[in-house]
Amino acid sequence: MIKIKLIPSAAITALLFSTLLVSCSDADSVPFGNPEDLSEEAKSFFSMRNGAAKSMGAAGTSAINKSFQSTIESIGGSGVLTFGKLEDSTLVSSPIPWSTCAKITQSDNPDGSTTYSTDYGTGCKEGYGDYTYLMCGKFVYTWKYTESRSGSEIKTSYFSKNRSDGYGGEYYYEGDTIRWKTNGRSTYNGESKYDTARQTFSGKYAYSDTSDYTYNGIEYRYKSIGTSSYDEKKSITLTNIYEYQTLKEFYKSTVVKPLVSDYSCYGPVTIAKAEASMWWPNYVSGKEIIEYDKNGKSGKFEIDYGNGECDAIVIIYENGSAYKIDLSKDYTLFTRG
């Protein structure tokens, strides 16, 4: 496994900006190159990052702003926001008599948080009937949520931390055995405000995550630390350093200008040469620097997400050249590998 040495983000930002001073506002004066001339590492970055996020989610170790996620889903659905203590959400009893072999415990902590632990020990099988799966290791989740009201305003604060120790298992599909395992730590804390009369909300949160994930014999490592804020109109990644690596490749993303997502821009985008449309939640502004080391080749490039317009256009700067990319039209170019 490659060892990662973190450099202070302020030093990285100063160094990278001293060599990359071109912005989207300068884009009109820059002759753009052919996107095919981009390095394969730059071309594969977007699909690689999406895949990494999915695998982290599958392992249950990624730090996710569940309160914000639920709010956005509510707006997209009924448009009615509801808050309050969650009760039993079971609507229909499960017809499958699932039996777990884990030791599950719940404990209340002096600080008001609650810790849930699922411990499979050295390994045991769970499931139902002839369908059983081998599970092993331990997953611990600590959570705290507080709420207060003043007039029409609701204030909430929340904190969570996860720990996985050898947590994994084996699944069987069409004669194949798929093995996965995770070891990691993550923390997340934030606060939000919601005005029931004005139907406005805002919040901020901070997160960190260090996780090792093994899937079918391939090892992945993730590291992230950052801060974000949001309201009913947009979300902003204020700071973020994110690392992804395997034995063969290493990517590191550093936000050097806050990344902004504008909710009014979200919608279906028709992909070139495709019959169907897709949901495209691209950043509308901001910059990040990507460093990589893959197959013995090292390099870096900058992604400029624009000036706030609702589009899927980014400018990529690499090796002294600029490339204007429409991620909806050039979709196939960036889903290789």
Side-chain angles (χ1 to χ4, degrees):
M1 180 67 69
I2 303 172
K3 292 185 178 180
I4 300 174
K5 182 178 181 180
L6 286 175
I7 302 173
S9 59
I12 294 175
T13 302
L15 175 62
L16 295 176
F17 263 118
S18 68
T19 57
L20 291 165
L21 299 177
V22 185
S23 69
C24 240
S25 61
D26 305 316
D28 293 337
S29 62
V30 177
F32 296 114
N34 185 340
E36 288 286 355
D37 294 334
L38 280 165
S39 67
E40 291 302 316
E41 290 70 29
K43 293 176 184 177
S44 64
F45 173 72
F46 294 97
S47 58
M48 179 280 301
R49 181 162 59 182
N50 288 339
K54 290 178 181 178
S55 61
M56 287 176 69
T61 56
S62 59
I64 301 173
N65 184 349
K66 295 186 181 301
S67 175
F68 178 45
Q69 183 183 50
S70 298
T71 300
I72 296 303
E73 289 174 353
S74 178
I75 291 176
S78 65
V80 178
L81 304 179
T82 59
F83 290 80
K85 184 178 180 181
L86 295 177
E87 303 296 343
D88 185 359
S89 60
T90 302
L91 299 179
V92 180
S93 298
S94 173
I96 300 177
W98 187 273
S99 176
T100 181
C101 62
K103 180 182 179 182
I104 300 175
T105 59
Q106 174 181 329
S107 58
D108 297 325
N109 305 312
D111 64 355
S113 64
T114 302
T115 298
Y116 305 90
S117 173
T118 302
D119 190 351
Y120 290 97
T122 57
C124 59
K125 290 186 177 182
E126 69 175 25
Y128 67 98
D130 294 331
Y131 299 94
T132 59
Y133 304 89
L134 177 66
M135 296 293 295
C136 61
K138 186 176 183 179
F139 183 77
V140 180
Y141 174 68
T142 299
W143 178 76
K144 181 180 180 180
Y145 172 90
T146 61
E147 177 184 301
S148 63
R149 297 173 182 252
S150 177
S152 62
E153 186 177 75
I154 302 173
K155 293 183 179 180
T156 62
S157 64
Y158 30 87
F159 164 80
S160 69
K161 63 179 179 179
N162 299 329
R163 186 182 85 242
S164 58
D165 296 314
Y167 176 63
E170 293 183 359
Y171 296 112
Y172 313 102
Y173 180 71
E174 295 184 350
D176 294 329
T177 300
I178 299 174
R179 297 179 177 88
W180 62 278
K181 182 178 291 187
T182 66
N183 287 283
R185 306 286 186 274
S186 69
T187 62
Y188 168 82
N189 65 84
E191 58 185 47
S192 66
K193 297 179 181 179
Y194 171 58
D195 193 307
T196 59
R198 298 179 179 179
Q199 287 287 292
T200 59
F201 63 90
S202 62
K204 59 183 178 180
Y205 57 97
Y207 52 88
S208 65
D209 186 10
T210 301
S211 301
D212 293 333
Y213 179 63
T214 303
Y215 183 82
N216 257 11
I218 301 176
E219 296 182 17
Y220 305 86
R221 173 169 291 180
Y222 307 96
K223 285 188 177 182
S224 66
I225 183 170
T227 57
S228 295
S229 65
Y230 59 87
D231 58 26
E232 71 276 3
K233 297 180 180 179
K234 62 184 179 299
S235 65
I236 305 173
T237 300
L238 300 167
T239 62
N240 184 57
I241 297 178
Y242 172 80
E243 297 180 1
Y244 159 87
Q245 77 174 79
T246 68
L247 290 174
K248 297 182 178 180
E249 61 183 352
F250 167 72
Y251 280 88
K252 180 177 181 178
S253 165
T254 303
V255 171
V256 293
K257 183 179 179 181
L259 306 179
V260 179
S261 294
D262 185 334
Y263 309 149
S264 66
C265 297
Y266 283 22
V269 175
T270 300
I271 302 303
K273 297 181 180 180
E275 296 180 357
S277 297
M278 68 172 293
W279 194 261
W280 197 270
N282 188 46
Y283 297 122
V284 297
S285 63
K287 294 181 182 180
E288 62 179 330
I289 299 293
I290 313 301
E291 301 170 82
Y292 65 85
D293 189 335
K294 185 175 182 180
N295 298 324
K297 179 183 178 181
S298 299
K300 63 184 177 183
F301 53 93
E302 175 183 355
I303 305 175
D304 189 329
Y305 290 96
N307 57 7
E309 295 183 6
C310 293
D311 56 34
I313 295 175
V314 301
I315 308 296
I316 298 179
Y317 300 97
E318 185 177 40
N319 298 325
S321 297
Y323 304 88
K324 187 176 183 179
I325 310 296
D326 187 328
L327 293 174
S328 61
K329 295 180 180 179
D330 300 314
Y331 182 71
T332 55
L333 179 68
F334 291 92
T335 53
R336 299 175 178 175

